[in-house]
Amino acid sequence: MKTLLITHTDLDGISPIILLNLINTNLEFKSIDINDVTDTFNELFETDLSIYDKIYVTDLTLTEDIYNKIKEKKLNILVFDHHETHLFAKDYQNITIKIELNKRPTCGTELFYEYLKNEYPELNKPIIKHYVEQVRQLDTFTFESELPRHIEMIRETIGRTDFIKSITKRLKKDKNEVELTTFEKRFVKLKAEELQRYIQKKDQKMLRFEIKNKKCGVVFSENNKSEVGNYLANKYPELDLIILIDASSRISYRTCKDDIHVDEFAGYFGGGGHQKASGSSFDDAIRTKIIEMYFKDIKCLDENN
């Protein structure tokens, strides 16, 4: 029998893959973007899910329609998530939705790990706990060291497949903490310097607008959106939030204020997430409108032209 994992694409999303690799499951996984949740589940509901003895969902917010179909089809799907916009589902069966754990912000990987280590005691190792904590700190932006950022730099550089293999191999060792190689330490030092230059460049190009009665700083940022957003939010406390537009994928929202809920702000535009970090889609229809505004007289061509 197989295990199916449906999860997000970021570090908090792919780390559950690593945890399942450590228990040698016959694993099949789908790493998807938030905007693909509905389509992914609609496709799954048309397939024979009886081939899986376990189905997990981590770090993704499902819709009420999806939960109704799960209930209708009597599927045993376990969900682990930490997004505030997902709290509506906490009373559904087999659902673990928590924003905090042990009186501090949690993440999908940590919630999943708490479940797995009870089912598989071999996962209750210091080095695995240490790795999960690095993921939690990165995803909640509550840093105690630079290691979470360095791990993320490595993931973004080497890609999902090689990163999963590398971390899985390290977590099998009998050590107390995840360690970087000498080469990786040199690499992240150079990347950190590059990041600072990138942040300074975005700072210089930030625009200011009032949107939905909120004072917003707006930048176009394709990379390191959390780092850029956090820096600008702290540098400019007179602004309520920072909007980071990545025209190739999505729009991100960041704030450092306790009384500003960017998940609600993102909700105006069909998005959601956490109080201080959220996102919404930037789809082809919006891209087309921008092209029309800039180039004026245009005609869309189909793929055959």
Side-chain angles (χ1 to χ4, degrees):
M1 296 291 282
K2 290 183 178 180
T3 295
L4 173 63
L5 171 67
I6 306 164
T7 192
H8 195 204
T9 56
D10 63 3
L11 183 67
D12 190 31
I14 68 172
S15 292
I17 301 171
I18 295 169
L19 294 177
L20 290 174
N21 280 344
L22 291 171
I23 56 177
N24 297 314
T25 58
N26 183 10
L27 176 64
E28 178 181 329
F29 68 85
K30 297 180 181 293
S31 182
I32 64 172
D33 189 68
I34 296 171
N35 298 326
D36 298 324
V37 168
T38 297
D39 289 341
T40 297
F41 273 88
N42 285 339
E43 291 173 5
L44 282 173
F45 290 141
E46 297 299 319
T47 64
D48 181 14
L49 295 177
S50 65
I51 63 173
Y52 305 106
D53 60 336
K54 293 181 179 178
I55 302 176
Y56 300 119
V57 178
T58 57
D59 196 36
L60 289 170
T61 298
L62 307 188
T63 66
E64 195 166 354
D65 286 342
I66 291 174
Y67 281 116
N68 288 336
K69 289 182 181 179
I70 291 174
K71 185 177 180 180
E72 176 187 326
K73 294 177 176 291
K74 299 179 180 180
L75 298 172
N76 184 24
I77 299 178
L78 278 66
V79 180
F80 303 86
D81 189 31
H82 64 123
H83 295 96
E84 292 182 55
T85 49
H86 206 170
L87 285 174
F88 76 91
K90 64 182 180 180
D91 293 329
Y92 281 89
Q93 188 176 5
N94 299 326
I95 310 300
T96 300
I97 310 293
K98 294 181 180 180
I99 299 172
E100 292 187 345
L101 189 66
N102 301 323
K103 298 182 179 180
R104 80 277 190 282
T106 187
C107 67
T109 296
E110 183 179 43
L111 294 173
F112 191 45
Y113 177 61
E114 289 299 311
Y115 162 80
L116 282 180
K117 71 180 183 181
N118 289 327
E119 298 286 318
Y120 306 93
E122 62 267 32
L123 292 179
N124 197 9
K125 293 173 53 179
I127 191 171
I128 301 176
K129 290 181 182 179
H130 183 254
Y131 174 74
V132 170
E133 173 59 14
Q134 306 316 302
V135 177
R136 186 197 71 80
Q137 289 183 27
L138 180 77
D139 205 65
T140 61
F141 240 69
T142 53
F143 300 108
E144 296 177 8
S145 74
E146 289 299 308
L147 182 58
R149 289 186 174 96
H150 294 167
I151 291 173
E152 173 68 356
M153 288 177 184
I154 294 168
R155 180 191 72 85
E156 289 183 338
T157 302
I158 67 176
R160 182 185 68 193
T161 301
D162 288 338
F163 180 81
I164 289 173
K165 289 179 181 178
S166 176
I167 298 298
T168 300
K169 183 178 179 180
R170 295 182 211 203
L171 296 187
K172 289 181 178 179
K173 296 180 179 179
D174 189 21
K175 292 188 175 183
N176 290 328
E177 297 184 352
V178 177
E179 298 176 347
L180 303 186
T181 66
T182 301
F183 173 79
E184 287 171 341
K185 289 177 181 177
R186 292 173 181 166
F187 169 77
V188 297
K189 183 177 183 296
L190 294 174
K191 289 290 288 184
E193 293 171 354
E194 179 184 320
L195 173 60
Q196 288 305 309
R197 292 193 293 270
Y198 183 78
I199 290 174
Q200 294 300 323
K201 179 180 178 181
K202 296 304 173 183
D203 183 7
Q204 294 169 4
K205 293 182 176 295
M206 185 182 74
L207 303 174
R208 298 169 184 243
F209 300 95
E210 183 174 306
I211 306 172
K212 300 291 184 181
N213 297 318
K214 295 290 189 294
K215 296 178 181 178
C216 306
V218 182
V219 296
F220 287 83
S221 180
E222 302 77 26
N223 304 308
N224 304 107
K225 290 181 276 291
S226 290
E227 299 286 352
V228 174
N230 187 65
Y231 173 85
L232 295 176
N234 281 283
K235 182 175 180 179
Y236 301 104
E238 68 274 16
L239 298 176
D240 293 315
L241 67 143
I242 305 298
I243 300 175
L244 305 106
I245 300 174
D246 181 353
S248 65
S249 62
R250 60 189 285 102
I251 301 174
S252 301
Y253 308 88
R254 298 292 186 272
T255 187
C256 62
K257 296 185 176 181
D258 293 333
D259 61 339
I260 298 294
H261 290 253
V262 294
D263 52 336
E264 296 177 2
F265 187 88
Y268 290 124
F269 310 101
H274 303 293
Q275 179 200 336
K276 295 185 178 182
S278 294
S280 62
S281 64
F282 197 104
D283 57 24
D284 286 343
I286 297 174
R287 296 182 188 97
T288 299
K289 287 182 179 180
I290 292 174
I291 294 170
E292 289 173 343
M293 289 174 59
Y294 189 86
F295 293 102
K296 306 269 189 298
D297 187 20
I298 69 169
K299 180 176 69 174
C300 293
L301 304 176
D302 59 38
E303 295 181 357
N304 297 322
N305 289 330

